[in-house]
Amino acid sequence: MNALMYCLKDKKYSWCYETTPQPRANNRVFFWPRGKVMGGSSSLNAMVYVRGHPYDYDRWEQEGAKGWSYADCLPYFKKAQTHQLGGDDYRGDSGPLYVSRGKWNNPLYHAFVDAGLQAGYQHTEDCNGFKQEGFGHFDMTIKNGVRCNASMAYIHPILSKYKNLKISTNSMATKVIVEGSKAVGVEYKQNDATKYARARKEVILCGGSINSPQLLLLSGIGNADELRKLGIPCAANLPGVGENLQDHLEVYIQYKCSKPVTLYKYQWKFPWNMVTTGLQWFITKSGAASTTHMEAGSFFRSSSKVAHPDIQIHFLPSVVIDHGQKMGTCHAFQGHSGTMRATSRGNLKLKSTNPFDSPLINPNYLQTEQDIVDFRACVRLTTEIFSQKAFDEFREEVLDKNLRLNSNDEIDSFVRSTSETAYHPCGTAKMGSENDKSAVVDSKCRVLGIDKLRVVDASIMPSILSGNLNAPVIMMAEKAADMILGVPPLPK
Ligand SMILES: Cc1cc2nc3c(=O)[nH]c(=O)nc-3n(C[C@H](O)[C@H](O)[C@H](O)COP(=O)(O)OP(=O)(O)OC[C@H]3O[C@@H](n4cnc5c(N)ncnc54)[C@H](O)[C@@H]3O)c2cc1C
């Protein structure tokens, strides 16, 4: 867990993006880490394995992503996965991505789920199975105490298997080479040298929600008027590139804990604990360093009028301060609580034609009144859960004195001043039907108007899912692989 946090602000491993100042969030600039290593963000994420709700995928299909309903996607979730508990109607048992459950040996996990039940919510045995809604275990992409990122799952096992697999590290793609309306290769920089990779069949971008649209724009694929202003010749006029940016925002509701059961003891203030924990992990891959500690969580609705859960809490027997860069000062626990289907839409634009310049990222957080109304419910309901009897033996005061619930204004002020990204940007090269002017790729992930070019990553999500994005991206990659190979999709 801590090892994860150390990397987020290290430019060697993370792109360390920043948003533009967000007017509805007190003009704050939000820090957006993204993985700059093999495995991408799955190599520095929190390893929570969540698929989202079936209705999300059915909505995708209605939004124009033909063939991406839940029934279409479920076989690929299963194909990708080996679940520690074995296969069933929802879980896979022979895929590359290993998914496990924590040992739940912290009493706070039990308190969290009990508190949810006491507050009137349901229990769920598997939030990725038949019923997302409820309180229970969160699955994690961890195999025998070790992170199972996209690289460990998919690349490492085939490194020496395929002679035609060439991996170029320390390399940055700077442009897709388009001849006429056909993508024929990629220009990239490796240690200051400009190089070219020619595609025999097609070019597939998977740079993530920031970098894929950035690369498309640099290659002349985007809004023709805006490209012209930057002097970039337009290869395809696709106004949707960089638009439709969506993310999950969350607040951290943190309480001082009266018992020494949190992760407070695992910091360099207590070097002996750190050394023994590290040694235990290196020798046996067990102990406190072998879990993400987000072993429990919940999905519930802000009101009975909502069709499926719109609030998610990740429970953590610790506190996160400044993306894990600062340590807590006492035993404490928190719920990362956020709304899952914000209505605000942001965008991303080129700052310049230099590929090494970060783009201008404007998520437009809390732009709509609906989003702030939803967050009021989110904060009220989350604090109500933590005020249940199950937490009485652990809960002391709220750590952030700005968390006051006397009026909507007080809650709004807390949300605007403390909310943080849940690190889930998506939608910036969205999939849609060919008559949708804002679509960038078709339902086979092919860039509209350009031959032999696909995008396969979180940027092509038509809209954000009700949950974390890593498992869905891996499912999408599995599904896209069949499209690329030209084989029929797995049966529903
Ligand atoms: C701190 C953090 C915590 C998270 N926690 C969770 C979690 O617990 N559970 C969960 O499900 N999701 C989590 N996420 C989100 C999840 O990891 C991402 O949504 C998912 O990995 C996105 O996959 P992607 O393929 O779209 O992009 P990425 O995983 O970001 O992959 C993009 C890859 O392309 C590379 N790249 C980009 N541009 C170029 C270029 N021009 N040339 C060459 N290479 C390039 C990048 O370096 C990277 O390796 C978290 C994310 C972060 C950052």
Side-chain angles (χ1 to χ4, degrees):
M1 180 66 187
N2 286 330
L4 143 83
M5 292 302 196
Y6 289 142
C7 300
L8 298 187
K9 289 202 172 177
D10 185 337
K11 288 195 169 164
K12 193 171 165 204
Y13 305 110
S14 164
W15 291 87
C16 294
Y17 288 122
E18 288 185 339
T19 68
T20 56
Q22 294 298 291
R24 306 291 163 102
N26 295 353
N27 273 324
R28 285 183 296 137
V29 168
F30 286 67
F31 173 64
W32 277 19
R34 311 302 301 162
K36 203 206 271 183
V37 286
M38 293 280 290
S41 300
S42 75
S43 303
L44 47 72
N45 72 11
M47 296 181 271
V48 175
Y49 179 95
V50 164
R51 293 178 178 180
H53 195 280
Y55 284 176
D56 289 321
Y57 300 94
D58 292 347
R59 186 187 66 241
W60 278 11
E61 176 131 71
Q62 286 157 19
E63 288 167 342
K66 203 162 163 276
W68 289 84
S69 72
Y70 182 65
D72 293 301
C73 294
L74 180 59
Y76 288 97
F77 274 120
K78 291 178 70 177
K79 183 183 182 201
Q81 183 186 51
T82 292
H83 199 291
Q84 177 197 18
L85 300 178
D88 64 11
D89 287 348
Y90 295 90
R91 292 181 191 134
D93 58 8
S94 51
L97 185 68
Y98 195 87
V99 174
S100 60
R101 288 199 165 170
K103 293 195 164 52
W104 262 39
N105 51 13
N106 189 313
L108 288 167
Y109 298 134
H110 299 270
F112 177 71
V113 172
D114 290 347
L117 302 186
Q118 287 165 3
Y121 301 102
Q122 310 166 27
H123 172 257
T124 178
E125 198 281 315
D126 180 5
C127 68
N128 296 310
F130 176 68
K131 191 176 75 152
Q132 184 195 45
E133 186 158 17
F135 283 61
H137 285 268
F138 268 1
D139 290 338
M140 305 178 293
T141 43
I142 295 179
K143 184 175 186 180
N144 301 327
V146 179
R147 174 186 290 270
C148 186
N149 57 17
S151 179
M152 289 294 280
Y154 285 90
I155 303 294
H156 282 261
I158 59 160
L159 268 179
S160 53
K161 200 168 160 193
Y162 294 109
K163 291 211 170 56
N164 59 351
L165 172 65
K166 185 180 166 203
I167 297 172
S168 181
T169 52
N170 290 316
S171 302
M172 164 112 167
T174 47
K175 195 191 276 181
V176 179
I177 305 162
V178 180
E179 287 175 1
S181 60
K182 182 177 167 190
V184 295
V186 169
E187 174 195 278
Y188 65 100
K189 285 263 187 204
Q190 187 178 36
N191 306 325
D192 291 336
T194 302
K195 299 189 174 181
Y196 300 91
R198 190 97 188 161
R200 250 171 289 167
K201 293 196 171 165
E202 56 179 306
V203 176
I204 302 159
L205 305 187
C206 51
S209 297
I210 314 302
N211 298 47
S212 284
Q214 181 191 23
L215 194 53
L216 289 172
L217 293 169
L218 288 167
S219 313
I221 301 164
N223 183 313
D225 293 336
E226 295 192 3
L227 292 172
R228 196 174 310 115
K229 282 184 211 152
L230 285 163
I232 301 174
C234 181
N237 180 18
L238 287 179
V241 177
E243 298 297 319
N244 189 45
L245 173 58
Q246 298 171 49
D247 190 19
H248 288 137
L249 204 55
E250 56 188 12
V251 288
Y252 301 162
I253 311 259
Q254 305 176 327
Y255 295 87
K256 188 172 179 189
C257 184
S258 56
K259 294 190 175 174
V261 292
T262 74
L263 305 185
Y264 173 65
K265 51 187 174 285
Y266 301 111
Q267 52 174 301
W268 283 110
K269 204 195 267 184
F270 308 104
W272 176 247
N273 289 345
M274 293 296 272
V275 170
T276 51
T277 304
L279 278 177
Q280 184 182 1
W281 185 80
F282 276 109
I283 295 166
T284 64
K285 298 288 181 278
S286 64
S290 67
T291 166
T292 178
H293 296 285
M294 292 196 193
E295 297 186 10
S298 64
F299 295 92
F300 56 97
R301 302 174 213 220
S302 58
S303 88
S304 55
K305 293 189 191 119
V306 179
H308 59 107
D310 56 343
I311 298 175
Q312 177 180 11
I313 302 181
H314 296 76
F315 177 76
L316 185 67
S318 183
V319 286
V320 175
I321 307 168
D322 187 18
H323 305 269
Q325 306 303 298
K326 294 188 187 136
M327 303 315 293
T329 54
C330 60
H331 278 282
F333 55 85
Q334 77 175 39
H336 305 211
S337 185
T339 59
M340 291 192 289
R341 295 187 295 282
T343 55
S344 301
R345 298 286 179 266
N347 58 50
L348 170 161
K349 294 187 188 303
L350 290 184
K351 195 187 290 169
S352 76
T353 54
N354 179 354
F356 292 90
D357 261 359
S358 300
L360 296 164
I361 302 168
N362 176 14
N364 261 331
Y365 285 134
L366 303 169
Q367 192 205 20
T368 66
E369 181 61 15
Q370 185 62 48
D371 287 355
I372 194 79
V373 168
D374 289 347
F375 251 104
R376 279 176 208 149
C378 176
V379 172
R380 282 191 200 283
L381 295 173
T382 305
T383 49
E384 194 177 286
I385 289 159
F386 282 116
S387 69
Q388 298 299 316
K389 211 169 168 309
F391 272 113
D392 283 356
E393 59 175 308
F394 303 107
R395 185 192 53 246
E396 291 192 353
E397 70 268 23
V398 161
L399 287 183
D400 189 337
K401 300 292 173 246
N402 294 317
L403 176 56
R404 290 185 295 264
L405 307 172
N406 300 316
S407 66
N408 287 345
D409 283 351
E410 282 186 353
I411 299 178
D412 295 357
S413 158
F414 174 73
V415 172
R416 293 188 199 285
S417 60
T418 70
S419 51
E420 272 298 346
T421 174
Y423 312 113
H424 295 161
C426 62
T428 44
K430 81 166 194 183
M431 194 187 302
S433 70
E434 285 178 33
N435 38 25
D436 175 355
K437 293 225 171 348
S438 61
V440 175
V441 299
D442 69 9
S443 52
K444 291 209 159 52
C445 314
R446 296 174 298 206
V447 174
L448 297 166
I450 298 285
D451 212 15
K452 307 292 177 201
L453 179 61
R454 292 189 215 238
V455 184
V456 184
D457 57 31
S459 71
I460 64 171
M461 293 182 175
S463 54
I464 200 158
L465 298 160
S466 309
N468 314 53
L469 302 192
N470 185 44
V473 169
I474 289 173
M475 174 281 291
M476 293 168 82
E478 284 279 7
K479 197 160 157 47
D482 277 354
M483 294 169 180
I484 293 160
L485 291 171
V487 300
L490 292 176
K492 295 187 194 182

